[in-house]
Amino acid sequence: MSPALVLATARRVLLQLRHDPRTVAMLLVVPCVLLVLLRYVFDGVPQTFDRVGTPVLGIFPFVVMFVVTSVATLRERSTGTLERLLTMPVAKLDLLGGYALAFGLIAVVQSVLAASLCLGLLGLDVQGPEWWLPVVAVLDGLLGMALGLFVSAFATTEFQAVQFMPAFVLPQFLLCGLFVPRNQMADVLHWLSDVLPLTYAVEAMTRITSGHLGGVFARDVAIIGAASVLALALGAATLRRRTP
Amino acid sequence: MSSARAVEIEHLRVIRGGVEVLPDLSLHIETETVTGLLGPSGCGKTTLIRAIVGVQIVAGGNVTVLGKPAGSPALRRRIGYVTQAPSVYADLTVMQNLRYFAAVLRAPSRQIDQVLNAVALNDFADQLVGRLSGGQRARVSLATALLGEPELLVLDEPTVGLDPVLRHDLWEMFHALASQGSTLLVSSHVMDEAARCDQLLLMRNGRLIASTTPDELRRSTGAEDLEEAFLRLVKAPA
């Protein structure tokens, strides 16, 4: 792995995004608009916004990075640039690292914007240290990116890649404990939610709201990190230099 | 002309999607030549090229490139590969594409201007590749393959969609590169390009039907025109 190539790849991905300002604007603005929407949906019950707002702050970067990465990687596969790169002296980790760095930076900007909006204008009430909000949100974004990279290997068209969002993300969304506490779900679903990474992303965000940042919080953050690394490793395994 | 071999293939067998595309192919390519790979579309040219570049999963046989098994990590710096469809980033400018690939290949940045010159795209350096014509895009892809001064250049139909003047210039460049020590393998399904090659490999249905030179091909088939010569060879019973 070469830091120079990671940087070159990250720069290239960001330059590609710069030629697509509409996508950048949507990446940054849409989560903020949705949070404003959420705030006024719960206008009469501000304590519900306090409970739901933080997890949603973590779910947005996860979902957005998942979609953007899976489409970007699929494009790289289908236009032949990936095959060309893999005939060149570049390590798979250089490419993955470059993608992670570029989209990670986007996730940082997106998370800081969304968290500042919630804490400032929208009056989100958080007991724990507020700076943890963007930190965990960025981790969630990286997790979404790693998963998106992995599943893009199973899509052969952009239609399929986009459909992976409802297929992979919505079940996690339903089971993560945001709608119903996990211990009230059917046992099978509870066990299932135990192995889905978004569960821990939401739990970590909830702990910041309540201010209980003990060992469970540390464990949650570690699980998010480990799941990201695992998904990246699986994603790396799907980048083949030789194909049928 | 040196007699060293840039590519040596023995009994190559490739199966794609359940179909035996290359049943048993043996051939070699000499260094410092421009070798044309010709044959009707679907005859296995691209599969052969993929096997040489080392991106094709093969079912059997040996492919040795520049003295090493095809696909060896050490070869990644030494081979330039242009796929049929231009594989460059449409949402980057010509310059941004070349800068990125030059970084990957650790090619000095002065080479970027050289390759831009070689494919006559200097005036388009800051254009978005997605806004260029098909022929211009193909040239960006070719320019990318020239970065790093590869010893072996493998070009899959690089002149499709290019005007005659540009095609002429590119063939001049191919020969200039060969005289500077590179080896070029250029596939085409247009026979008038065969006349421009030092060596010819003619394929049909996944088999090599001739490894020859343009003059020899004319002599052996008795046809003056290479297109006619090729047709006689293709129609002859195998």
Side-chain angles (χ1 to χ4, degrees):
Chain A
M1 190 173 167
S2 133
L5 286 191
V6 171
L7 282 176
T9 303
R11 200 180 113 86
R12 187 260 295 172
V13 173
L14 289 173
L15 278 172
Q16 285 180 287
L17 277 177
R18 210 183 67 183
H19 290 294
D20 187 1
R22 198 176 300 173
T23 295
V24 177
M26 301 223 308
L27 282 172
L28 302 180
V29 173
V30 169
C32 293
V33 172
L34 288 175
L35 284 165
V36 172
L37 193 71
L38 194 69
R39 161 67 183 80
Y40 290 101
V41 165
F42 292 116
D43 201 28
V45 268
Q47 60 276 29
T48 307
F49 179 64
D50 288 342
R51 184 176 66 78
V52 175
T54 16
V56 167
L57 211 48
I59 289 169
F60 278 147
F62 175 83
V63 173
V64 171
M65 292 302 147
F66 178 90
V67 176
V68 171
T69 315
S70 52
V71 172
T73 324
L74 179 73
R75 219 189 266 171
E76 184 110 58
R77 287 176 204 272
S78 57
T79 55
T81 46
L82 184 66
E83 180 173 291
R84 166 170 249 165
L85 281 172
L86 290 178
T87 65
M88 293 180 171
V90 64
K92 294 171 190 174
L93 278 181
D94 296 335
L95 298 178
L96 294 176
Y99 266 95
L101 186 59
F103 287 127
L105 280 174
I106 301 277
V108 168
V109 178
Q110 186 193 55
S111 304
V112 168
L113 268 181
S116 324
L117 176 76
C118 283
L119 296 169
L121 291 177
L122 301 181
L124 184 76
D125 199 12
V126 174
Q127 306 298 316
E130 295 162 346
W131 59 270
W132 267 113
L133 285 181
V135 172
V136 177
V138 167
L139 281 178
D140 294 347
L142 287 175
L143 174 66
M145 190 215 80
L147 283 173
L149 197 96
F150 172 57
V151 303
S152 81
F154 304 100
T156 50
T157 66
E158 292 190 11
F159 280 145
Q160 290 176 11
V162 172
Q163 288 303 318
F164 277 140
M165 208 281 272
F168 274 76
V169 175
L170 277 190
Q172 299 201 53
F173 191 58
L174 291 174
L175 295 176
C176 69
L178 182 64
F179 296 103
V180 184
R182 294 193 301 128
N183 55 21
Q184 291 174 21
M185 293 174 187
D187 282 343
V188 178
L189 295 184
H190 190 183
W191 299 330
L192 194 55
S193 73
D194 280 342
V195 296
L196 294 176
L198 191 64
T199 303
Y200 301 94
V202 165
E203 193 173 76
M205 289 305 254
T206 312
R207 298 232 151 216
I208 301 173
T209 321
S210 61
H212 301 300
L213 294 187
V216 180
F217 175 74
R219 185 208 63 184
D220 288 344
V221 171
I223 289 177
I224 301 169
S228 307
V229 171
L230 179 68
L232 268 186
L234 290 171
T238 67
L239 302 179
R240 320 282 340 187
R241 290 195 196 259
R242 277 182 192 269
T243 49
Chain B
M1 198 175 291
S2 132
S3 63
R5 286 171 174 186
V7 178
E8 180 116 46
I9 296 178
E10 290 164 333
H11 304 294
L12 173 64
R13 182 162 176 261
V14 177
I15 298 168
R16 295 185 82 176
V19 180
E20 200 174 45
V21 183
L22 303 177
D24 179 10
L25 195 70
S26 298
L27 59 82
H28 64 264
I29 296 168
E30 278 158 31
T31 53
E32 299 177 34
T33 58
V34 179
T35 299
L37 175 62
L38 293 116
S41 72
C43 71
K45 296 189 295 286
T46 297
T47 305
L48 171 60
I49 281 176
R50 285 171 45 85
I52 291 171
V53 177
V55 297
Q56 176 66 49
I57 294 176
V58 303
N62 291 316
V63 182
T64 310
V65 180
L66 303 172
K68 297 200 164 17
S72 301
L75 290 175
R76 282 178 204 146
R77 248 171 243 272
R78 302 171 65 193
I79 304 181
Y81 171 37
V82 181
T83 48
Q84 227 170 78
S87 44
V88 282
Y89 298 99
D91 46 3
L92 290 181
T93 66
V94 174
M95 189 51 111
Q96 288 166 344
N97 266 289
L98 291 175
R99 276 210 197 104
Y100 176 57
F101 286 111
V104 170
L105 291 163
R106 285 89 164 169
S109 50
R110 65 177 160 77
Q111 275 184 18
I112 294 176
D113 287 324
Q114 289 169 5
V115 300
L116 268 177
N117 248 325
V119 299
L121 278 179
N122 316 52
D123 296 342
F124 297 88
D126 296 319
Q127 293 266 330
L128 219 49
V129 169
R131 299 219 182 97
L132 298 179
S133 74
Q136 289 169 329
R137 260 189 238 201
R139 281 186 279 155
V140 180
S141 198
L142 177 61
T144 305
L146 297 174
L147 290 169
E149 298 175 332
E151 292 161 62
L152 174 67
L153 255 174
V154 183
L155 313 173
D156 200 354
E157 311 230 353
T159 57
V160 171
L162 299 186
D163 63 74
V165 178
L166 205 59
R167 251 167 59 176
H168 175 81
D169 291 351
L170 284 183
W171 278 100
E172 299 247 289
M173 181 185 77
F174 295 163
H175 283 284
L177 288 168
S179 67
Q180 288 158 26
S182 297
T183 304
L184 290 93
L185 176 65
V186 185
S187 85
S188 176
H189 62 266
V190 195
M191 278 311 288
D192 65 356
E193 299 206 309
R196 302 175 181 272
C197 301
D198 303 320
Q199 297 284 320
L200 293 178
L201 298 168
L202 304 182
M203 283 182 76
R204 184 185 56 173
N205 290 338
R207 292 173 197 280
L208 189 71
I209 53 174
S211 174
T212 179
T213 66
D215 287 340
E216 252 176 56
L217 179 64
R218 287 194 195 95
R219 211 176 309 131
S220 64
T221 56
E224 249 327 285
D225 177 43
L226 280 175
E227 179 119 28
E228 179 58 33
F230 182 68
L231 283 174
R232 282 190 198 176
L233 207 57
V234 164
K235 283 177 182 160

